[in-house]
């Protein structure tokens, strides 16, 4: 493996900000210092004028995910290539237990699909059955397989939802074994009533997705999950938080010293429910769960990022094409053309996270570069047992490094993105801040518009204890 020297960049981590060179050997950071000499055969990259940040860590993706009626359109190869172009070098993807089967079997299947990944990958396990056996399997996943976090759904009754007893039992097992439960917090049973009523009344357009999933039901479920986790004495991570009510529950608990953590996603920070009104069924592109909300929620989320009540921005990349072709109806939003409740829930975003967060947090709101790195890399790495191998630029860490131009303005266009999905939520949006070069364990995988990586070069990362910042 080549020895690599990145010269003259401004190194920014979650705590530091200084000018230095980075020498990489065997995929790890060997030396950081001023005016390091390039010996013979060393591959040198000029980072003058650029910021060197740790590779992004996206802890919420659904790649090649089949949940019966629909399947996400990115393979691990295409989804992780898109991630890399967006400056993300590690994804933690959701693998799932099938009902009636061991989660260990779910992990085995996921490993086969994930073998084509081009950046490093870890797995969370979605638990669908909480039985004595699957609780025992959770311990095996944590101790033996490096899978130390679990997602449980409080929504989607009959499909993914777990009852409170199951959630509580899983929390106890995770909490006492260094693991963490991630919750999808919405009151699924009440939402089901609202959805059925809407469809019966002929309210079938995409906007009814938002109208049947009220913010109060996200707040209620978040509050309940926190209460259960307190009783279980287990850390909790609230995924894709979108509502002020939910954030309020998180903030109140954190103020009492409860170990509750939460992420939000770029779409909740930049978009509102007005997008559901788009003509020609285009509102379906924005059907993800929880739904987009109004400006008051958006303001609350930005405030939560500023106060650290929200600690992570991840993507919830769950891509379905808008059009039926070329991949077929199973991969398409068109399934719900006549009934919003049949639109596959999920939206893409894996490639645009870093530029959007940089533009919105650092440029528009004056947050520090350190905070930008914390939100997109260091804190998710710490919370999910990847730090210090991932999430920082330090001697001994994996040389996952992004060279970022803080001044370049560009326009987001689906046609220029690398996912297989046929749209972006941010079409035509101008952002400032662009990923220029990406190194994965010292190998240059993105060089401007050029792809230098290859499928299968990503490694599975066994994760350690979760829930610690
Ligand atoms: O709409 C979404 N978020 N789809 C992915 C599944 C989930 O709930 O994260
Ligand atoms: Zn979810
Ligand atoms: Zn998700």
């Amino acid at each position: 493996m080549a020895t690599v020297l990145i010269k003259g960049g401004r190194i920014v981590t979650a705590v530091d900000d200084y000018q230095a060179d980075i020498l990489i050997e065997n995929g790890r950071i060997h030396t950081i210092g001023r005016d390091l000499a390039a010996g013979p055969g060393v591959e040198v990259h000029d980072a003058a004028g650029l910021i060197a940040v740790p590779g992004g860590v996206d802890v919420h993706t659904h790649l090649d995910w089949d949940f019966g009626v629909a399947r996400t359109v990115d393979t691990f190869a295409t989804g992780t290539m898109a991630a890399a172009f967006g400056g993300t070098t590690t994804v933690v993807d959701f693998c799932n237990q099938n009902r009636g089967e061991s989660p260990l079997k779910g992990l085995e299947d996921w490993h086969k699909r994930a073998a084509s990944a081009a950046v490093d990958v870890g797995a969370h396990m979605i638990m669908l059955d909480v039985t004595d056996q699957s609780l025992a399997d959770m311990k095996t996943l944590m101790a033996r397989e490096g899978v130390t976090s679990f997602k449980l759904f409080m929504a989607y009754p009959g499909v993914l939802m777990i009852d409170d007893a199951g959630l509580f039992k899983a929390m106890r097992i995770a909490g006492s074994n260094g693991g963490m439960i991630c919750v999808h917090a919405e009151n699924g049973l009440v939402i089901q009533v609202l959805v059925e009523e809407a469809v019966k009344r002929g309210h079938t357009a995409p906007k009814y997705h938002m109208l049947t999933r009220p913010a109060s039901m996200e707040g209620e479920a978040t509050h309940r999950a926190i209460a259960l986790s307190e009783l279980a004495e287990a850390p909790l991570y609230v995924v894709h938080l979108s509502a002020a009510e939910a954030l309020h529950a998180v903030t109140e608990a954190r103020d009492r010293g409860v170990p509750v953590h939460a992420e939000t996603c770029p779409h909740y920070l930049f978009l509102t429910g007005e997008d559901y009104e788009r003509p020609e069924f285009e509102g379906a592109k924005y059907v993800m769960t929880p739904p987009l909300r109004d400006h008051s929620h958006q303001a609350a989320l930005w405030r939560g990022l500023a106060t650290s009540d929200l600690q992570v921005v991840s993507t919830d990349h769950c891509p379905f094409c808008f059009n039926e072709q070329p991949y077929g109806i199973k991969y398409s939003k068109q399934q719900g053309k006549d009934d919003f409740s049949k639109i596959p829930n999920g939206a893409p975003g894996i490639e645009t996270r870093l530029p959007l967060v940089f533009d919105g947090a650092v440029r528009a709101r004056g947050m520090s570069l350190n905070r930008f790195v914390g939100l997109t890399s260091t804190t998710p790495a710490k919370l999910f047992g990847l730090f210090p191998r991932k999430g920082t630029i330090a001697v001994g860490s994996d040389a996952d490094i992004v060279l970022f131009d803080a001044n370049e303005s560009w326009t987001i266009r689906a046609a220029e993105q690398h996912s297989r999905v046929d749209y972006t939520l941010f079409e035509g949006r101008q952002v400032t801040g662009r990923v220029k070069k990406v190194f994965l364990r010292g190998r240059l995988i993105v060089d401007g518009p050029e792809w230098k990586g290859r499928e299968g070069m990503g490694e599975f990362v066994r994760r350690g204890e979760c829930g610690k910042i």
Side-chain angles (χ1 to χ4, degrees):
M1 239 196 111
T3 299
V4 175
L5 181 61
I6 300 175
K7 276 201 87 63
R10 175 180 169 191
I11 299 174
V12 178
T13 69
V15 289
D16 293 312
D17 187 344
Y18 58 102
Q19 207 80 30
D21 304 338
I22 305 168
L23 184 72
I24 300 165
E25 273 185 19
N26 299 318
R28 297 214 170 157
I29 297 171
H30 181 276
T31 310
I32 300 175
R34 290 265 164 90
D35 303 319
L36 297 181
V42 172
E43 182 185 310
V44 181
H45 295 269
D46 180 11
L50 300 174
I51 298 174
V53 291
V57 176
D58 186 350
V59 291
H60 193 151
T61 68
H62 302 272
L63 299 174
D64 203 354
W65 186 42
D66 194 329
F67 55 106
V69 287
R71 187 176 191 129
T72 57
V73 72
D74 269 321
T75 63
F76 277 82
T78 61
T80 55
M81 176 174 60
F85 273 100
T88 290
T89 49
T90 306
V91 301
V92 186
D93 187 76
F94 285 96
C95 140
N96 69 279
Q97 173 192 25
N98 287 314
R99 250 185 236 292
E101 283 181 12
S102 165
L104 293 163
K105 170 76 170 65
L107 181 64
E108 203 182 306
D109 295 343
W110 178 92
H111 271 299
K112 288 183 193 141
R113 299 196 302 279
S116 68
V119 303
D120 288 355
V121 286
H124 312 277
M125 177 60 67
I126 295 175
M127 300 295 294
L128 295 183
D129 275 338
V130 178
T131 60
D132 288 346
Q133 183 56 51
S134 63
L135 289 168
D137 291 343
M138 280 175 71
K139 287 190 192 168
T140 309
L141 285 165
M142 290 183 271
R144 198 183 74 191
E145 303 293 338
V147 175
T148 48
S149 48
F150 303 86
K151 181 172 179 185
L152 282 86
F153 285 81
M154 301 169 83
Y156 303 113
V159 188
L160 299 168
M161 196 174 96
I162 290 283
D163 64 17
D164 291 352
L167 184 53
F168 176 63
K169 285 182 191 169
M171 283 170 170
R172 275 206 303 219
I173 294 290
S176 54
N177 290 275
M180 184 160 68
I181 297 296
C182 306
V183 275
H184 176 130
E186 285 184 302
N187 186 320
L189 291 172
V190 172
I191 286 168
Q192 188 178 37
V193 172
L194 300 178
V195 169
E196 282 169 7
E197 283 175 2
V199 173
K200 243 187 230 154
R201 286 189 193 125
H203 293 164
T204 55
K207 71 174 178 190
Y208 289 100
H209 174 72
M210 171 185 70
L211 295 172
T212 54
R213 306 190 90 92
S216 61
M217 290 299 95
E218 188 183 336
E220 183 280 324
T222 305
H223 184 270
R224 185 159 31 108
I226 292 169
L228 296 175
S229 73
E230 270 189 89
L231 191 63
E233 296 182 8
L236 180 70
Y237 185 85
V238 182
V239 297
H240 50 44
L241 188 146
S242 74
E245 288 86 335
L247 179 57
H248 180 74
V250 169
T251 305
E252 189 276 330
R254 288 173 64 81
D255 286 350
R256 288 188 291 108
V258 180
V260 179
H261 312 283
E263 65 174 23
T264 191
C265 311
H267 38 267
Y268 302 123
L269 292 167
F270 292 96
L271 306 174
T272 67
E274 283 164 30
D275 283 308
Y276 293 117
E277 302 282 358
R278 287 180 185 246
E280 309 289 336
F281 191 56
E282 290 232 4
K285 293 178 175 174
Y286 301 83
V287 169
M288 78 288 287
T289 300
L292 299 175
R293 305 202 184 274
D294 66 30
H295 286 289
S296 65
H297 294 279
Q298 215 175 64
L301 298 180
W302 280 111
R303 190 172 169 279
L305 291 178
T307 59
S308 294
D309 287 313
L310 288 172
Q311 298 89 50
V312 174
V313 180
S314 64
T315 61
D316 195 3
H317 181 76
C318 189
F320 301 102
C321 286
F322 179 64
N323 295 304
E324 189 177 332
Q325 295 306 331
Y327 300 110
I329 192 75
K330 183 157 185 181
Y331 298 86
S332 167
K333 295 276 185 183
Q334 299 298 327
Q335 286 191 49
K337 189 100 185 80
D338 303 315
D339 177 351
F340 76 89
S341 70
K342 296 197 168 67
I343 301 171
N345 285 196
I350 206 163
E351 192 166 342
T352 44
R353 182 178 66 125
L354 263 64
L356 282 166
V357 176
F358 178 80
D359 195 53
V362 180
R363 288 190 66 92
R365 289 173 181 79
M367 285 187 211
S368 69
L369 280 168
N370 307 107
R371 182 81 181 124
F372 162 66
V373 172
L375 289 169
T376 55
S377 179
T378 314
T379 307
K382 285 183 174 174
L383 281 174
F384 287 96
L386 291 160
F387 187 85
R389 180 175 167 194
K390 307 291 187 188
T392 194
I393 295 179
V395 171
S397 293
D398 280 0
D400 298 342
I401 295 168
V402 174
L403 300 184
F404 191 79
D405 185 341
N407 297 309
E408 184 174 332
S409 293
W410 60 288
T411 304
I412 299 173
R413 304 248 180 246
E416 286 156 29
Q417 302 239 305
H418 299 82
S419 162
R420 295 214 298 181
V421 78
D422 57 0
Y423 74 98
T424 159
L425 297 173
F426 301 99
E427 186 70 37
R429 187 180 190 99
Q430 224 205 353
V431 285
T432 299
R434 190 161 207 179
V435 171
K436 304 302 284 185
K437 287 190 181 186
V438 178
F439 298 85
L440 174 72
R441 284 178 274 102
R443 287 198 170 91
L444 181 68
I445 58 171
V446 170
D447 188 2
E450 252 183 273
W451 176 236
K452 303 229 174 215
R454 65 177 161 73
E455 53 177 89
M457 73 186 288
E459 285 181 358
F460 175 67
V461 269
R462 286 170 189 280
R463 294 179 295 114
E465 196 177 342
C466 285
K468 300 254 165 17
I469 291 202

